[in-house]
Each structure stands twice: as C-alpha cells, then as structure tokens.
Amino acid sequence: DAPLGVTLCPDAEAGQGPLGGLAAVLRLLQRPVLIAACDMPGLDARAFETLSTAWQEGQRGLIARGPDGWQPLFGIYSPELLPLIDQRLAQGQRALFRLIEDEGLDAWNYTEPAWLANVNTPEDWEAWKVRQAE
C-alpha cells in the first residue's frame, strides 16, 4: 500500500537492473524523468534545480558526469530512449552507462563534488559524516 499521492512503478521483469527500472518509469510516465539514486546523501534542492535548469527540450538524456566519470543514476532521461532501452534489455544488457556512451547522451558537468558522493557501505557512511562535519 503506497501513501496517498505515491505511484508505485514495479519493473516489468525482475532482475533487469537500473536499465529495467528506467524503462518501467519512462513507460509509465511517457515524459522526461529525473532519476536520483538513494545512496547519494549529498543531493540537495540546488542539485535538482541545477540539473533541471540545464535540461533542454529535445534532449534525449542529460546525465551527471564528473572527474570519476558518468553518474548514470543522477540524470534526466527522455521516453524517446524507450525503444533503445527495450532492445538492450532483450539482448541482456542492463547497464545505464553503456546506453549513455553508445547513444551519445549529453553530459551535465556538476560543480559540487559532494552532490554525487556515493555511500554504499557503513564505512562510506562514516567517512561521509566526517567530511560533512569538517
């Protein structure tokens, strides 16, 4: 049971990774979507606003890229990509970064490294808290 105003969007087929999740939400909404991973505690309203402002009508994708490369789970994707995504999923491909590179999607070069800090382990979380306290 979802809270009022929340729409659940399950993957069409389990085990399809991030690409399968993106396909599901694009198919449901049929408009560009901004996606953000839950393991990026540095994302704030300014990050979302800056990315959203950089998006231009007609783009197929605008994805965060920094010194460490692509950050495919913070970006805006167009439903125009759905046929390409479906084709990749049918071929067993599940990686978003491959779609980004192969299709030449646009890069959003972010200015605040803390925005896209990735926290995957308890050690990462402790290091994140220390950096924020400095």
Side-chain angles (χ1 to χ4, degrees):
D1 294 326
L4 185 62
V6 173
T7 300
L8 297 179
C9 181
D11 293 355
E13 183 180 336
Q16 295 298 308
L19 201 58
L22 178 59
V25 73
L26 286 172
R27 190 166 282 110
L28 175 71
L29 297 176
Q30 292 295 310
R31 64 178 181 261
V33 296
L34 188 156
I35 62 170
C38 62
D39 62 356
M40 295 178 183
L43 289 175
D44 59 17
R46 206 169 102 240
F48 287 96
E49 181 180 337
T50 304
L51 175 61
S52 297
T53 300
W55 173 260
Q56 296 176 11
E57 189 67 35
Q59 286 181 296
R60 296 182 310 149
L62 183 61
I63 319 308
R65 184 174 67 190
D68 296 338
W70 293 105
Q71 296 290 336
L73 293 178
F74 190 60
I76 301 174
Y77 294 86
S78 168
E80 180 183 328
L81 294 168
L82 260 174
L84 299 167
I85 294 171
D86 288 340
Q87 181 181 38
R88 288 170 179 276
L89 290 170
Q91 296 168 348
Q93 298 176 26
R94 296 187 288 274
L96 276 172
F97 79 92
R98 278 290 195 226
L99 173 75
I100 294 164
E101 290 179 350
D102 292 349
E103 297 303 321
L105 300 184
D106 295 328
W108 175 66
N109 297 302
Y110 56 94
T111 57
E112 298 288 334
W115 283 346
L116 295 219
N118 205 308
V119 175
N120 292 313
T121 66
E123 293 79 19
D124 290 346
W125 178 243
E126 292 305 317
W128 167 258
K129 291 192 306 188
V130 167
R131 285 192 307 273
Q132 296 312 299
E134 294 175 349

